[in-house]
Amino acid sequence: MQRQPLDYSFEIATIRHVGDNDAACFTADAIVRDAAGNELVRLPGKRMHSYVEAAEDDAVDAARQAIRRLRKGEPPGRA
């Protein structure tokens, strides 16, 4: 019998920050969920970006790394 990997998904929440001079920058958080939809780990955005796409790319990379760690059997709280 072969071991089947668990199903995981992630969602990205983008946050827009506006400074006093009306300059906008973005961060994005990633939320990793199991197959039942339960939240396993929340990965807050660590860097500010001037483009929303760059913030989302960082969050997607973090979520994919977290899913790889979960599939290896490591605890979900590690970031």
Side-chain angles (χ1 to χ4, degrees):
M1 181 186 297
Q2 288 187 328
R3 197 173 133 199
Q4 296 294 321
L6 296 175
D7 289 333
Y8 297 102
S9 63
F10 63 87
E11 65 183 72
I12 304 300
T14 305
I15 301 105
R16 181 176 186 239
H17 307 273
V18 179
D20 294 336
N21 60 355
D22 291 333
C25 56
F26 302 91
T27 58
D29 299 344
I31 303 164
V32 178
R33 299 183 184 278
D34 62 9
N38 300 317
E39 183 177 316
L40 297 177
V41 63
R42 181 179 294 262
L43 305 162
K46 295 180 180 168
R47 292 182 12 185
M48 295 275 197
H49 295 277
S50 55
Y51 296 101
V52 68
E53 294 85 359
E56 289 172 346
D57 288 347
D58 275 356
V60 168
D61 289 341
R64 288 179 176 162
Q65 289 176 6
I67 289 172
R68 275 189 233 114
R69 285 193 302 270
L70 287 167
R71 286 188 174 147
K72 288 180 182 178
E74 296 178 14
R78 293 179 54 191

